[in-house]
Amino acid sequence: MKKTKTQIFTKMLLGISIPVVLTFIVSGVIISNRVGESMKAQAAKTLDATSLAAANQVDSFLSYYLAEMKSAAASQQAEEFLASSKGNMKLTDSEYYPGMKTTLDKIQATDKDNILASWIADIDLSQATMSDGYTTEPGWDILTRPWFRATQTDQPILTEPYVDTNTGQIVITAACAVYESGTGKPLGVVGIDIQLSQLSTIMSSYKTEASGSLILTTDSGLIVYHKNPDMIQKNISEIDISQNVKEAFASQTAGSFDYTMDKVEYSTLSMV
């Protein structure tokens, strides 16, 4: 079954470790092969439902920040602030800076537990100013920032997770381009840096069997959540999981699979 719903984090792997030989032990009782097949089918249904519920909650969590950035980028204030930049001036010298700084502070204050900082970057000046008061020097390299690709679309975007150099936490950036009215010229980008500890809380709230596991990754396969912290920030292609899962991931094929992980054969794994 091909995927029909695009998730922000599109791959949710949720596996209950039932040995492929179909011997399933519960409270010391050995389940027969015939009953094992029934248990396997039921496990697949349970996994599909749990995977989808978790994916939807992750979607809701991140969609809030994307909507905030789209609204901020569409504001007259952001456009006026960026359009006022000239020559080699600093962003903080703009007559519109005090109002813009207040807005950045308010955005960050809406969710202090998860938003590390809000900011706005100017393309012409190659500068960014942040809610914490820090402003980059003129000539700051804006073009190679992962969030700069927001200028290629009229929709907000999410970056791949990365380690924040100041806090050591894994974060992502939600960003949206600010365009000049009438011309459609990109003036800059507004964004927020979001720590991902809340995602771990969300994912860990979904319970599986004692031998179950849950993996949350980005579109590119970067692992964002795993019960083993050492796996976070690795790519799904790098871990010891069977090729059929890697191929299904690459082709964005949803469904349930028998699989091998860490050289042990299991069933079942659900991917949505």
Side-chain angles (χ1 to χ4, degrees), residues 146-175:
W147 43 259
F148 189 74
R149 64 184 175 87
T151 60
Q152 301 170 8
T153 176
D154 60 355
Q155 297 299 316
I157 61 100
L158 287 170
T159 66
E160 288 278 290
Y162 59 94
V163 177
D164 180 66
T165 55
N166 292 327
T167 65
Q169 299 183 65
I170 297 177
V171 301
I172 56 173
T173 294

mmCIF file of all heavy atoms in Angstrom, residues 146-175:
data_model
loop_
_atom_site.group_PDB
_atom_site.id
_atom_site.type_symbol
_atom_site.label_atom_id
_atom_site.label_comp_id
_atom_site.label_asym_id
_atom_site.label_seq_id
_atom_site.Cartn_x
_atom_site.Cartn_y
_atom_site.Cartn_z
ATOM 1 N N PRO A 146 20.441 26.037 6.254
ATOM 2 C CA PRO A 146 19.458 25.061 5.793
ATOM 3 C C PRO A 146 18.049 25.632 5.663
ATOM 4 O O PRO A 146 17.259 25.149 4.840
ATOM 5 C CB PRO A 146 19.511 23.957 6.865
ATOM 6 C CG PRO A 146 20.172 24.583 8.044
ATOM 7 C CD PRO A 146 21.103 25.607 7.501
ATOM 8 N N TRP A 147 17.744 26.658 6.440
ATOM 9 C CA TRP A 147 16.418 27.252 6.354
ATOM 10 C C TRP A 147 16.270 28.234 5.180
ATOM 11 O O TRP A 147 15.158 28.707 4.911
ATOM 12 C CB TRP A 147 16.056 27.971 7.655
ATOM 13 C CG TRP A 147 17.142 28.791 8.273
ATOM 14 C CD1 TRP A 147 17.943 28.457 9.325
ATOM 15 C CD2 TRP A 147 17.558 30.108 7.865
ATOM 16 N NE1 TRP A 147 18.827 29.477 9.610
ATOM 17 C CE2 TRP A 147 18.619 30.501 8.747
ATOM 18 C CE3 TRP A 147 17.148 31.005 6.872
ATOM 19 C CZ2 TRP A 147 19.265 31.733 8.632
ATOM 20 C CZ3 TRP A 147 17.791 32.216 6.759
ATOM 21 C CH2 TRP A 147 18.826 32.572 7.629
ATOM 22 N N PHE A 148 17.375 28.546 4.490
ATOM 23 C CA PHE A 148 17.282 29.507 3.383
ATOM 24 C C PHE A 148 16.433 28.965 2.234
ATOM 25 O O PHE A 148 15.900 29.725 1.439
ATOM 26 C CB PHE A 148 18.670 29.892 2.868
ATOM 27 C CG PHE A 148 18.646 31.023 1.877
ATOM 28 C CD1 PHE A 148 18.420 32.324 2.300
ATOM 29 C CD2 PHE A 148 18.824 30.790 0.522
ATOM 30 C CE1 PHE A 148 18.377 33.382 1.390
ATOM 31 C CE2 PHE A 148 18.785 31.831 -0.398
ATOM 32 C CZ PHE A 148 18.558 33.128 0.039
ATOM 33 N N ARG A 149 16.281 27.651 2.177
ATOM 34 C CA ARG A 149 15.442 27.085 1.114
ATOM 35 C C ARG A 149 13.976 27.506 1.260
ATOM 36 O O ARG A 149 13.171 27.294 0.339
ATOM 37 C CB ARG A 149 15.547 25.558 1.091
ATOM 38 C CG ARG A 149 15.034 24.852 2.322
ATOM 39 C CD ARG A 149 15.297 23.346 2.220
ATOM 40 N NE ARG A 149 14.920 22.643 3.440
ATOM 41 C CZ ARG A 149 13.696 22.192 3.690
ATOM 42 N NH1 ARG A 149 12.727 22.367 2.806
ATOM 43 N NH2 ARG A 149 13.422 21.557 4.822
ATOM 44 N N ALA A 150 13.625 28.132 2.369
ATOM 45 C CA ALA A 150 12.270 28.664 2.524
ATOM 46 C C ALA A 150 11.969 29.708 1.461
ATOM 47 O O ALA A 150 10.805 29.932 1.108
ATOM 48 C CB ALA A 150 12.092 29.263 3.921
ATOM 49 N N THR A 151 13.016 30.351 0.925
ATOM 50 C CA THR A 151 12.813 31.375 -0.105
ATOM 51 C C THR A 151 12.442 30.785 -1.458
ATOM 52 O O THR A 151 12.181 31.523 -2.400
ATOM 53 C CB THR A 151 14.081 32.241 -0.265
ATOM 54 O OG1 THR A 151 15.180 31.404 -0.655
ATOM 55 C CG2 THR A 151 14.433 32.943 1.034
ATOM 56 N N GLN A 152 12.420 29.460 -1.546
ATOM 57 C CA GLN A 152 12.054 28.798 -2.796
ATOM 58 C C GLN A 152 10.600 28.361 -2.813
ATOM 59 O O GLN A 152 10.150 27.700 -3.747
ATOM 60 C CB GLN A 152 12.962 27.591 -3.016
ATOM 61 C CG GLN A 152 14.441 27.952 -3.092
ATOM 62 C CD GLN A 152 15.337 26.728 -3.071
ATOM 63 O OE1 GLN A 152 14.877 25.591 -3.148
ATOM 64 N NE2 GLN A 152 16.643 26.948 -2.950
ATOM 65 N N THR A 153 9.857 28.709 -1.779
ATOM 66 C CA THR A 153 8.460 28.302 -1.697
ATOM 67 C C THR A 153 7.666 29.363 -0.948
ATOM 68 O O THR A 153 8.236 30.214 -0.260
ATOM 69 C CB THR A 153 8.329 26.955 -0.954
ATOM 70 O OG1 THR A 153 6.948 26.613 -0.807
ATOM 71 C CG2 THR A 153 8.975 27.020 0.428
ATOM 72 N N ASP A 154 6.355 29.324 -1.090
ATOM 73 C CA ASP A 154 5.506 30.252 -0.341
ATOM 74 C C ASP A 154 4.928 29.596 0.900
ATOM 75 O O ASP A 154 4.040 30.153 1.549
ATOM 76 C CB ASP A 154 4.375 30.787 -1.232
ATOM 77 C CG ASP A 154 3.469 29.684 -1.756
ATOM 78 O OD1 ASP A 154 3.764 28.493 -1.512
ATOM 79 O OD2 ASP A 154 2.463 30.013 -2.427
ATOM 80 N N GLN A 155 5.435 28.401 1.235
ATOM 81 C CA GLN A 155 4.969 27.679 2.414
ATOM 82 C C GLN A 155 6.092 27.590 3.453
ATOM 83 O O GLN A 155 7.274 27.599 3.100
ATOM 84 C CB GLN A 155 4.508 26.268 2.027
ATOM 85 C CG GLN A 155 3.323 26.234 1.091
ATOM 86 C CD GLN A 155 2.080 26.877 1.695
ATOM 87 O OE1 GLN A 155 1.753 26.638 2.858
ATOM 88 N NE2 GLN A 155 1.395 27.693 0.902
ATOM 89 N N PRO A 156 5.740 27.498 4.723
ATOM 90 C CA PRO A 156 6.770 27.330 5.758
ATOM 91 C C PRO A 156 7.447 25.972 5.630
ATOM 92 O O PRO A 156 6.849 25.017 5.108
ATOM 93 C CB PRO A 156 5.986 27.450 7.070
ATOM 94 C CG PRO A 156 4.588 27.062 6.710
ATOM 95 C CD PRO A 156 4.382 27.534 5.293
ATOM 96 N N ILE A 157 8.662 25.877 6.096
ATOM 97 C CA ILE A 157 9.436 24.636 5.989
ATOM 98 C C ILE A 157 10.035 24.257 7.340
ATOM 99 O O ILE A 157 10.132 25.085 8.252
ATOM 100 C CB ILE A 157 10.552 24.748 4.914
ATOM 101 C CG1 ILE A 157 11.547 25.884 5.283
ATOM 102 C CG2 ILE A 157 9.961 25.019 3.535
ATOM 103 C CD1 ILE A 157 12.823 25.432 5.921
ATOM 104 N N LEU A 158 10.436 22.997 7.448
ATOM 105 C CA LEU A 158 11.173 22.504 8.603
ATOM 106 C C LEU A 158 12.537 22.028 8.132
ATOM 107 O O LEU A 158 12.655 21.379 7.092
ATOM 108 C CB LEU A 158 10.446 21.334 9.265
ATOM 109 C CG LEU A 158 9.187 21.635 10.068
ATOM 110 C CD1 LEU A 158 8.484 20.337 10.429
ATOM 111 C CD2 LEU A 158 9.512 22.435 11.319
ATOM 112 N N THR A 159 13.563 22.329 8.900
ATOM 113 C CA THR A 159 14.892 21.834 8.583
ATOM 114 C C THR A 159 15.071 20.431 9.157
ATOM 115 O O THR A 159 14.265 19.955 9.959
ATOM 116 C CB THR A 159 15.978 22.730 9.179
ATOM 117 O OG1 THR A 159 15.916 22.659 10.614
ATOM 118 C CG2 THR A 159 15.806 24.171 8.743
ATOM 119 N N GLU A 160 16.133 19.775 8.751
ATOM 120 C CA GLU A 160 16.541 18.543 9.403
ATOM 121 C C GLU A 160 16.974 18.856 10.839
ATOM 122 O O GLU A 160 17.455 19.962 11.118
ATOM 123 C CB GLU A 160 17.723 17.917 8.662
ATOM 124 C CG GLU A 160 17.356 17.295 7.318
ATOM 125 C CD GLU A 160 16.796 15.896 7.489
ATOM 126 O OE1 GLU A 160 17.549 14.978 7.847
ATOM 127 O OE2 GLU A 160 15.580 15.739 7.262
ATOM 128 N N PRO A 161 16.815 17.938 11.754
ATOM 129 C CA PRO A 161 17.301 18.173 13.128
ATOM 130 C C PRO A 161 18.816 18.354 13.144
ATOM 131 O O PRO A 161 19.539 17.778 12.347
ATOM 132 C CB PRO A 161 16.895 16.884 13.863
ATOM 133 C CG PRO A 161 15.784 16.310 13.056
ATOM 134 C CD PRO A 161 16.105 16.653 11.629
ATOM 135 N N TYR A 162 19.278 19.176 14.071
ATOM 136 C CA TYR A 162 20.712 19.402 14.250
ATOM 137 C C TYR A 162 20.972 19.700 15.719
ATOM 138 O O TYR A 162 20.046 19.994 16.490
ATOM 139 C CB TYR A 162 21.201 20.552 13.362
ATOM 140 C CG TYR A 162 20.508 21.879 13.619
ATOM 141 C CD1 TYR A 162 21.050 22.812 14.499
ATOM 142 C CD2 TYR A 162 19.305 22.195 12.972
ATOM 143 C CE1 TYR A 162 20.425 24.028 14.737
ATOM 144 C CE2 TYR A 162 18.662 23.399 13.216
ATOM 145 C CZ TYR A 162 19.219 24.310 14.090
ATOM 146 O OH TYR A 162 18.581 25.512 14.324
ATOM 147 N N VAL A 163 22.226 19.616 16.109
ATOM 148 C CA VAL A 163 22.595 19.877 17.495
ATOM 149 C C VAL A 163 22.891 21.364 17.666
ATOM 150 O O VAL A 163 23.748 21.924 16.981
ATOM 151 C CB VAL A 163 23.824 19.044 17.913
ATOM 152 C CG1 VAL A 163 24.233 19.384 19.348
ATOM 153 C CG2 VAL A 163 23.526 17.557 17.784
ATOM 154 N N ASP A 164 22.164 22.011 18.556
ATOM 155 C CA ASP A 164 22.375 23.422 18.831
ATOM 156 C C ASP A 164 23.712 23.611 19.552
ATOM 157 O O ASP A 164 23.981 22.978 20.579
ATOM 158 C CB ASP A 164 21.239 23.958 19.704
ATOM 159 C CG ASP A 164 21.400 25.433 20.022
ATOM 160 O OD1 ASP A 164 21.321 26.247 19.098
ATOM 161 O OD2 ASP A 164 21.628 25.750 21.205
ATOM 162 N N THR A 165 24.556 24.464 19.018
ATOM 163 C CA THR A 165 25.909 24.620 19.570
ATOM 164 C C THR A 165 25.908 25.266 20.951
ATOM 165 O O THR A 165 26.823 25.059 21.749
ATOM 166 C CB THR A 165 26.777 25.463 18.626
ATOM 167 O OG1 THR A 165 26.110 26.716 18.372
ATOM 168 C CG2 THR A 165 27.004 24.743 17.313
ATOM 169 N N ASN A 166 24.882 26.056 21.253
ATOM 170 C CA ASN A 166 24.827 26.733 22.549
ATOM 171 C C ASN A 166 24.325 25.833 23.670
ATOM 172 O O ASN A 166 24.839 25.864 24.784
ATOM 173 C CB ASN A 166 23.939 27.978 22.460
ATOM 174 C CG ASN A 166 24.543 29.055 21.584
ATOM 175 O OD1 ASN A 166 25.761 29.210 21.525
ATOM 176 N ND2 ASN A 166 23.703 29.792 20.888
ATOM 177 N N THR A 167 23.301 25.025 23.369
ATOM 178 C CA THR A 167 22.666 24.219 24.412
ATOM 179 C C THR A 167 23.027 22.737 24.343
ATOM 180 O O THR A 167 22.820 22.013 25.310
ATOM 181 C CB THR A 167 21.135 24.344 24.320
ATOM 182 O OG1 THR A 167 20.682 23.759 23.071
ATOM 183 C CG2 THR A 167 20.703 25.798 24.373
ATOM 184 N N GLY A 168 23.527 22.281 23.189
ATOM 185 C CA GLY A 168 23.800 20.864 23.010
ATOM 186 C C GLY A 168 22.550 20.040 22.774
ATOM 187 O O GLY A 168 22.618 18.810 22.681
ATOM 188 N N GLN A 169 21.402 20.690 22.650
ATOM 189 C CA GLN A 169 20.144 19.992 22.424
ATOM 190 C C GLN A 169 19.889 19.798 20.929
ATOM 191 O O GLN A 169 20.367 20.571 20.104
ATOM 192 C CB GLN A 169 18.987 20.777 23.039
ATOM 193 C CG GLN A 169 19.090 20.968 24.534
ATOM 194 C CD GLN A 169 17.873 21.692 25.070
ATOM 195 O OE1 GLN A 169 16.762 21.197 25.025
ATOM 196 N NE2 GLN A 169 18.086 22.892 25.597
ATOM 197 N N ILE A 170 19.127 18.763 20.619
ATOM 198 C CA ILE A 170 18.722 18.539 19.232
ATOM 199 C C ILE A 170 17.528 19.437 18.932
ATOM 200 O O ILE A 170 16.528 19.428 19.659
ATOM 201 C CB ILE A 170 18.366 17.069 18.991
ATOM 202 C CG1 ILE A 170 19.598 16.199 19.224
ATOM 203 C CG2 ILE A 170 17.851 16.876 17.566
ATOM 204 C CD1 ILE A 170 19.338 14.715 19.089
ATOM 205 N N VAL A 171 17.638 20.226 17.881
ATOM 206 C CA VAL A 171 16.597 21.190 17.524
ATOM 207 C C VAL A 171 16.284 21.091 16.038
ATOM 208 O O VAL A 171 17.043 20.501 15.255
ATOM 209 C CB VAL A 171 17.028 22.635 17.865
ATOM 210 C CG1 VAL A 171 17.340 22.775 19.340
ATOM 211 C CG2 VAL A 171 18.222 23.069 17.029
ATOM 212 N N ILE A 172 15.161 21.677 15.682
ATOM 213 C CA ILE A 172 14.828 21.902 14.274
ATOM 214 C C ILE A 172 14.414 23.358 14.135
ATOM 215 O O ILE A 172 14.086 24.016 15.121
ATOM 216 C CB ILE A 172 13.687 20.993 13.764
ATOM 217 C CG1 ILE A 172 12.447 21.160 14.641
ATOM 218 C CG2 ILE A 172 14.127 19.557 13.697
ATOM 219 C CD1 ILE A 172 11.242 20.440 14.102
ATOM 220 N N THR A 173 14.442 23.853 12.917
ATOM 221 C CA THR A 173 14.013 25.217 12.651
ATOM 222 C C THR A 173 12.778 25.199 11.774
ATOM 223 O O THR A 173 12.739 24.509 10.753
ATOM 224 C CB THR A 173 15.126 26.024 11.954
ATOM 225 O OG1 THR A 173 16.228 26.181 12.854
ATOM 226 C CG2 THR A 173 14.635 27.400 11.530
ATOM 227 N N ALA A 174 11.762 25.937 12.199
ATOM 228 C CA ALA A 174 10.595 26.200 11.353
ATOM 229 C C ALA A 174 10.777 27.597 10.788
ATOM 230 O O ALA A 174 11.059 28.546 11.534
ATOM 231 C CB ALA A 174 9.311 26.113 12.160
ATOM 232 N N ALA A 175 10.648 27.749 9.470
ATOM 233 C CA ALA A 175 10.943 29.036 8.844
ATOM 234 C C ALA A 175 10.003 29.307 7.679
ATOM 235 O O ALA A 175 9.454 28.369 7.078
ATOM 236 C CB ALA A 175 12.391 29.061 8.354
#
